Amino acid sequence: MIEWFTATDHKKIGIMYIVATMTFFVAAGILAMMIRAQLARPDNALLSAQLYNQIFTLHGTAMIFFVIAPFGLGLANFIVPLQIGAPDMAFPRLNATSLWLFILGGIIMFLGFATYGGASANGWTNYAPLSEISEGTGAGNDFWTIGVLMAGVSTILTAVNLTTTVFLLRAPGMTMWRVPIFTWEIVATSLLILMAFPSLTAVLFMVLIDRHLGGHFFDPVYGGNPILYQHLFWFFGHPEVYVMILPYFGIVTEVIATFSHKPVFGYVGLVLAAFAIAGLSIGVWAHHMFTTGAVSNPFFSAVSFLIAVPTGVKFVNWIGTMWKGSLEFTTAMLFSLGFLFNFLLGGITGVMVASPPIDYQTHDSYFIVHHFHYTLGGGSMFALFSALFFWFPKIFGVRLNETLGKWFFWLMFIGFNLTFLPMAFMGIEGMARRVYTYPNVEHLALLNGLATAGGAIMGIAFLLFIANVFISAFANVPVPSNPWGGYSLEWATSSPPPEHNFETLPPITSRRPALDLMNT
Amino acid sequence: MKTFVGLFFTSTGFGLAILIAYWFIGHEETTGTVLLAIMTSALAFAATYAVIAERNARLDGDGEKLTPEDTKGEDLGIFTTQSAYPILVALSVLFMLLGILYSPLLAFVAIVALLLCLWRLGAESARI
Ligand SMILES: [Cu+2]
């Protein structure tokens, strides 16, 4: 047991990331179920308004900072060194430090529920001056700030580690232009983290200074400026959504190419699109601030529209990869296809709200909740499960049950769309987000009822997934090194890999070394 | 020029482009300009460092025709698999932050512990 606490091997750290993020996922999922229970009927009083605020705050924060973003980087921790033929990450001790900063950060944030006054209730954005008013947001908000601060610093350290690893530790012959797309997406993500995350660290320290050390950065009474908070927060906050999507683009690319049994279509285009998305996402932060009237709406709107272009390129590449391939509909493939469908819907509403007139109408309504759940839930979360089914045999040496997996996928797909599609219409009918109840007007009762039913289906589906993990682990059927006919280098070593990753490295002469090895 | 050096330069160029565009279009708004300027200069620093680092780097990964046979016996250094200091560093950081907010004594103890752990961690990694 103690060896796990002191482990610096990237595979153990990767596994701990996966276990920790899935644990936080369960906690955030339970909070989501409570939200849906409260909203099941109009004028419901199951939860108090203040408790509801705490629940949606921790649901959002946990999903963003402690599930979706760290799962991508944690998976990269396991997979990237294997994909490039490295014996470990460049800085193993730094890697372990990142892991523990992240885990302790998540724990301290959730401990907010145990404090007098409860957990933070300010939403995941923690806007000032709200976050600086002490009443009702006592230690819980401090715990939240400390937790997110630690997760943010952990992310920066991981980005340094991953970039260094990919740039310097590639195996002989593994040139940058032979590196798999997942690794490329991780490089783009890491560069984006290095550009955007320092702003988060700064703004959270400023909040702590204001709250405890007599500062007035965001307090207009003393000459501070609350808009400054929004600038600093969203300068990090928008790139963060790409930190939560780029790794998942990588996963989907690998899964689709593997189960289409074809090389990736438009490899260079995919790489360039990843960097175009990362670069553009630095120039769009104030599209979250259109309604403040304090920013240049035309600039931020125009750059936001531009992001649709490289994203469209990626869709063309994914479809081109499947074109005339012999498709194999495994659970991993189904989840990646589900990703394409859901993310497309989320992307289209994204283009809509990038237009200031539409944003003025839908700002802070359920339309926005609909939009970002389609990108991060139907998008990233579906790709997350795709990755688990795809790499589970490599990481743990057992394959997950495919029949249960397909049931899990279809229940998730139906449950997800049933939950979040109605939210678009709730938003159009004027239902505000972050409000603990709503009156029985228009079709709100019906739409919310559907959403809660969908939430219940997703809950049941997830129980099926947990059962699948245990059943598959007990069955314990050993898997070969390359169970799916994968092409990238991680499939050329045993499942799970030995301590130093490769007993013998195969020669790398193309972008598909594992297939080359199978054919010789 | 190696691909990763090019990457840093392209990123710097991109930062500069956005900075200039933002300067002209959103000129009444200084916060964003300053943020972009800080970001671009940090990238420029990284790009410059990459050029210097590239000079004495010989990366096997960049040799298109290199095979594992060619680099046999090459020393990759030692990759440690166990160390107690990372988790101790993380714990010290947590208690340092809690201390700064609630108890100067706790903060002091945690900072001492943090420095001690970092020092021991450095010594440990220098030893091997
Ligand atoms: Cu955004």
Side-chain angles (χ1 to χ4, degrees):
Chain A
M1 190 68 191
I2 201 91
E3 62 174 329
W4 283 88
F5 286 99
T6 57
T8 57
D9 175 54
H10 77 101
K11 294 183 291 304
K12 282 191 170 157
I13 290 179
I15 289 172
M16 284 192 278
Y17 264 112
I18 291 169
V19 172
T21 49
M22 291 319 285
T23 310
F24 290 133
F25 180 77
V26 170
I30 291 170
L31 296 178
M33 293 299 152
M34 292 165 82
I35 294 174
R36 279 322 319 163
Q38 162 63 21
L39 294 176
R41 292 186 292 125
D43 301 312
N44 203 1
L46 187 66
L47 305 173
S48 73
Q50 182 62 13
L51 185 60
Y52 182 83
N53 289 352
Q54 296 172 22
I55 286 174
F56 78 70
T57 298
L58 261 68
H59 165 72
T61 315
M63 287 305 293
I64 288 167
F65 288 101
F66 297 100
V67 181
I68 298 292
F71 180 90
L73 296 173
L75 181 72
N77 235 300
F78 194 102
I79 299 296
V80 164
L82 294 171
Q83 285 199 327
I84 62 172
D88 201 322
M89 294 276 275
F91 309 115
R93 291 181 188 81
L94 185 70
N95 202 16
T97 311
S98 298
L99 170 78
W100 290 109
L101 282 172
F102 154 75
I103 290 180
L104 291 175
I107 292 173
I108 191 78
M109 182 189 79
F110 273 105
L111 276 181
F113 275 122
T115 63
Y116 180 75
S120 175
N122 301 336
W124 84 277
T125 47
N126 202 38
Y127 269 12
L130 176 65
S131 51
E132 303 192 336
I133 304 166
S134 303
E135 275 170 299
T137 57
N141 189 254
D142 290 331
F143 282 16
W144 183 96
T145 314
I146 290 177
V148 175
L149 193 58
M150 289 171 67
V153 171
S154 149
T155 311
I156 295 175
L157 299 178
T158 302
V160 170
N161 216 336
L162 282 165
T163 22
T164 314
T165 305
V166 177
F167 289 156
L168 302 183
L169 289 186
R170 279 165 290 121
M174 181 60 83
T175 62
M176 278 310 275
W177 293 103
R178 282 178 186 160
V179 153
I181 294 292
F182 177 70
T183 295
W184 265 119
E185 299 280 357
I186 290 297
V187 172
T189 308
S190 301
L191 279 177
L192 194 53
I193 289 168
L194 295 179
M195 292 193 253
F197 268 62
S199 183
L200 172 74
T201 312
V203 78
L204 292 178
F205 264 116
M206 288 158 90
V207 166
L208 285 180
I209 289 170
D210 274 14
R211 281 174 66 89
H212 289 274
L213 304 172
H216 299 289
F217 287 112
F218 309 121
D219 184 350
V221 175
Y222 295 90
N225 182 359
I227 297 292
L228 175 65
Y229 180 92
Q230 297 194 18
H231 272 297
L232 290 171
F233 182 82
W234 288 113
F235 192 80
F236 138 82
H238 184 84
E240 166 76 349
V241 309
Y242 287 92
V243 169
M244 288 189 282
I245 201 71
L246 290 176
Y248 297 95
F249 283 171
I251 291 166
V252 168
T253 310
E254 305 287 349
V255 169
I256 287 181
T258 302
F259 295 118
S260 302
H261 301 285
K262 270 180 63 195
V264 172
F265 172 76
Y267 172 95
V268 177
L270 276 168
V271 173
L272 294 182
F275 282 92
I277 291 172
L280 288 170
S281 77
I282 282 292
V284 300
W285 74 90
H287 65 203
H288 298 269
M289 299 162 62
F290 282 155
T291 57
T292 60
V295 295
S296 167
N297 288 5
F299 175 86
F300 288 107
S301 176
V303 185
S304 303
F305 283 136
L306 277 180
I307 295 195
V309 177
T311 314
V313 169
K314 284 192 178 280
F315 266 90
V316 170
N317 284 325
W318 291 323
I319 292 166
T321 305
M322 287 187 281
W323 193 262
K324 291 188 174 168
S326 53
L327 303 189
E328 196 186 335
F329 293 101
T330 58
T331 309
M333 182 67 163
L334 288 176
F335 268 106
S336 280
L337 295 175
F339 167 96
L340 293 190
F341 179 84
N342 295 332
F343 189 78
L344 185 64
L345 280 178
I348 289 170
T349 49
V351 175
M352 288 165 75
V353 294
S355 156
I358 297 179
D359 184 76
Y360 272 69
Q361 182 67 28
T362 56
H363 192 77
D364 273 348
S365 79
Y366 262 78
F367 193 80
I368 303 297
V369 181
H370 158 82
H371 157 66
F372 69 73
H373 278 95
Y374 264 82
T375 55
L376 297 175
S380 301
M381 187 183 70
F382 271 60
L384 183 157
F385 286 117
S386 182
L388 279 179
F389 276 87
F390 186 54
W391 277 300
F392 205 87
K394 182 55 65 187
I395 297 173
F396 297 104
V398 281
R399 209 194 296 223
L400 288 172
N401 183 301
E402 279 289 310
T403 315
L404 280 174
K406 282 174 186 157
W407 273 96
F408 172 51
F409 167 75
W410 284 109
L411 284 175
M412 278 299 272
F413 188 75
I414 293 164
F416 176 82
N417 281 289
L418 192 57
T419 308
F420 294 104
L421 199 59
M423 289 189 185
F425 302 99
M426 293 176 205
I428 292 166
E429 291 187 355
M431 182 162 160
R433 69 189 282 203
R434 293 179 173 177
V435 174
Y436 86 114
T437 193
Y438 55 92
N440 191 6
V441 292
E442 304 260 3
H443 308 91
L444 290 188
L446 171 68
L447 294 169
N448 274 289
L450 287 175
T452 299
I457 295 176
M458 280 200 283
I460 293 166
F462 188 72
L463 293 180
L464 209 59
F465 173 72
I466 307 234
N468 193 347
V469 171
F470 281 105
I471 290 170
S472 307
F474 275 115
N476 199 15
V477 186
V479 284
S481 58
N482 194 353
W484 311 117
Y487 54 89
S488 45
L489 197 56
E490 77 269 28
W491 302 110
T493 186
S494 62
S495 312
E499 189 164 53
H500 287 292
N501 291 352
F502 293 90
E503 295 302 350
T504 46
L505 261 177
I508 297 148
T509 52
S510 77
R511 284 177 188 152
R512 312 212 288 166
L515 278 187
D516 296 342
L517 183 71
M518 271 169 78
N519 296 337
T520 48
Chain B
M1 187 162 61
K2 293 194 174 70
T3 315
F4 80 89
V5 185
L7 253 175
F8 277 117
F9 268 104
T10 321
S11 307
T12 313
F14 197 87
L16 206 61
I18 286 220
L19 172 63
I20 292 168
Y22 191 72
W23 174 268
F24 279 108
I25 299 169
H27 45 86
E28 280 160 56
E29 203 285 299
T30 46
T31 317
T33 318
V34 171
L35 280 172
L36 288 170
I38 295 174
M39 183 195 87
T40 308
S41 36
L43 283 171
F45 173 80
T48 319
Y49 177 76
V51 173
I52 296 167
E54 186 197 13
R55 274 193 212 142
N56 32 28
R58 192 186 54 81
L59 298 181
D60 292 338
D62 287 336
E64 238 174 84
K65 299 247 150 55
L66 275 185
T67 62
E69 280 300 305
D70 304 324
T71 57
K72 225 177 188 171
E74 193 178 296
D75 185 16
L76 286 173
I78 291 169
F79 289 86
T80 175
T81 58
Q82 295 286 326
S83 171
Y85 295 109
I87 188 168
L88 294 176
V89 166
L91 276 168
S92 317
V93 169
L94 174 62
F95 285 112
M96 179 186 77
L97 289 168
L98 287 172
I100 291 173
L101 299 187
Y102 304 119
S103 150
L105 179 69
L106 179 63
F108 178 77
V109 174
I111 289 171
V112 171
L114 177 62
L115 292 175
L116 205 68
C117 287
L118 287 174
W119 174 50
R120 295 313 304 160
L121 189 153
E124 184 190 77
S125 76
R127 226 177 9 252
I128 42 180

